[in-house]
Amino acid sequence: MWSTAKLKQQVEKILNEKTQDGYEVVSVAFGLNIWWIPTAYITLRK
């Protein structure tokens, strides 16, 4: 299961990789899924 601290680190890693690959970050939102697990929703644009 994800902790919020681990989730934030993973999101930051993903965003850094994708911006280096030429993607533009449109939005990042954090929430909970139906099992109350912290979830990140990332929208990218190429």
Side-chain angles (χ1 to χ4, degrees):
M1 196 135 79
W2 288 98
S3 69
T4 54
K6 186 175 179 181
L7 179 61
K8 287 182 352 186
Q9 291 173 351
Q10 187 67 22
V11 167
E12 185 176 357
K13 179 183 172 193
I14 291 168
L15 293 177
N16 287 334
E17 290 173 359
K18 293 301 180 183
T19 55
Q20 288 178 357
D21 290 342
Y23 288 90
E24 176 188 354
V25 178
V26 175
S27 68
V28 178
F30 293 91
L32 300 170
N33 66 15
I34 62 172
W35 297 285
W36 294 91
I37 299 172
T39 307
Y41 303 93
I42 303 170
T43 305
L44 302 170
R45 178 181 5 211
K46 185 92 176 179

